[in-house]
Amino acid sequence: MSIADFIKKSPFKTFAKGELLLQEGDCPKKLFAVQDGFVKVTALDDSGSESMLWIAGRYDMVPTELLFSPQGAVRFFYTAYTDVAVYEIDKAEFLDFAKNDHSLMSEIAYSMSSHYDDLLGRVCSIEQTVVRDKIMHTLYNLAKRFSAEDSVDLFSLGLKLTHQDIADMVGATRETASIELQKLRRKRLIIYNRSKLIVHTERLAPFVAGAPA
C-alpha cells in the first residue's frame, strides 16, 4: 500500500480561507495531508509581526516536522491560505502501519527529503542580502515546486500572492516589495497584475544560481 492509499482511508475535512488548522502550542495527534488548496505556515515574533515561512500544497503533509519528532507541540501557525481540503491522518496509526511496510517507509523518506530540499530553498531565498534577490529566489522556487513549465502563472495554480504576502515571505515592507516587483516586471522576468502572476523561470534562472533546477 502506498502513502496515497493509506491517506485516502482517512477522514476528509475542509477549511475556509483564513481558517486556522493548527496554532503554536497545539499538541496534535493527527496530521493533515493536503488534497486541494494551500496552507500557509507562519511564525509570529515578540512584536506580533508575521513571517510566512512556507506554503504547503497538494500532497504535502503538515506539520511534517512532527511526524517522527518526540516534540509534541506545534511551533508555528498553520492557516488555510485558500479554501483547502485535507485528509486527517492519525499519526500513531500511520507510524505503526509504516513500521511494518518497508516500501512505505522508503516513500516517507523520499517525501521528507523533498520537503527538506524545499526548505533549504526557502533558507537560500531569505538569506539573500538584497530584497530583489530574495523575491527572485522566492518566486522561482515556488514556480519550480508547483510546475514544470518555463512560465508559471501562480495565480492560476491558486497562489494569488499579494504584495504583502511576498513582503512577509522575504522580510521586507510592502512598499519595498512593490517597488522591486515593478522592477522585475519591467525587466520582463515576471508578469504581475490583478489577474495573473507569471514567473518566467527560464529567464530568472541566471539570476538565481544555486536554486533548484
Side-chain angles (χ1 to χ4, degrees):
M1 180 184 295
S2 67
I3 292 179
D5 293 331
F6 183 93
I7 287 174
K8 288 177 181 177
K9 292 185 176 182
S10 303
F12 196 68
K13 193 171 184 177
T14 59
F15 293 88
K17 180 180 179 179
E19 192 173 353
L20 197 64
L21 283 71
L22 292 166
Q23 63 182 341
E24 182 181 7
D26 284 348
C27 297
K29 296 186 181 298
K30 297 184 182 295
L31 305 175
F32 297 109
V34 180
Q35 192 272 338
D36 189 46
F38 296 92
V39 174
K40 67 175 182 177
V41 185
T42 59
L44 293 181
D45 62 22
D46 292 338
S47 68
S49 297
E50 182 181 82
S51 298
M52 193 186 302
L53 305 176
W54 191 62
I55 295 178
R58 192 175 187 187
Y59 304 129
D60 287 324
M61 190 180 295
V62 295
T64 308
E65 65 273 14
L66 293 188
L67 181 57
F68 293 106
S69 173
Q71 178 180 324
V74 174
R75 297 175 56 194
F76 309 110
F77 293 82
Y78 291 80
T79 310
Y81 182 73
T82 63
D83 290 343
V84 66
V86 299
Y87 289 100
E88 200 172 29
I89 303 164
D90 185 279
K91 176 181 172 180
E93 184 181 337
F94 181 67
L95 290 177
D96 284 343
F97 181 79
K99 288 175 184 176
N100 299 311
D101 189 317
H102 294 299
S103 62
L104 181 58
M105 191 61 78
S106 295
E107 194 175 347
I108 293 171
Y110 176 81
S111 176
M112 295 195 75
S113 177
S114 297
H115 177 63
Y116 179 70
D117 183 62
D118 188 54
L119 290 179
L120 287 179
R122 280 290 296 134
V123 171
C124 180
S125 298
I126 61 178
E127 282 195 337
Q128 302 300 308
T129 55
V130 179
V131 172
R132 191 184 316 173
D133 292 340
K134 292 177 188 281
I135 292 174
M136 286 194 294
H137 276 75
T138 295
L139 294 180
Y140 179 88
N141 288 337
L142 279 173
K144 295 296 286 186
R145 182 173 162 221
F146 293 116
S147 175
E149 300 296 324
D150 288 336
S151 294
V152 182
D153 184 358
L154 295 179
F155 278 20
S156 69
L157 298 179
L159 278 175
K160 296 187 177 181
L161 299 170
T162 65
H163 286 199
Q164 187 62 60
D165 288 334
I166 295 170
D168 290 341
M169 294 182 80
V170 302
T173 64
R174 181 187 180 281
E175 292 75 16
T176 299
S178 298
I179 290 170
E180 296 303 334
L181 286 166
Q182 291 173 12
K183 292 178 181 177
L184 295 178
R185 185 168 53 188
R186 287 197 294 269
K187 290 179 178 293
R188 298 184 179 180
L189 297 174
I190 65 171
I191 299 174
Y192 193 14
N193 54 43
R194 292 182 179 180
S195 63
K196 66 185 70 173
L197 172 50
I198 297 176
V199 181
H200 296 300
T201 55
E202 80 286 1
R203 298 179 191 174
L204 276 172
F207 299 96
V208 291

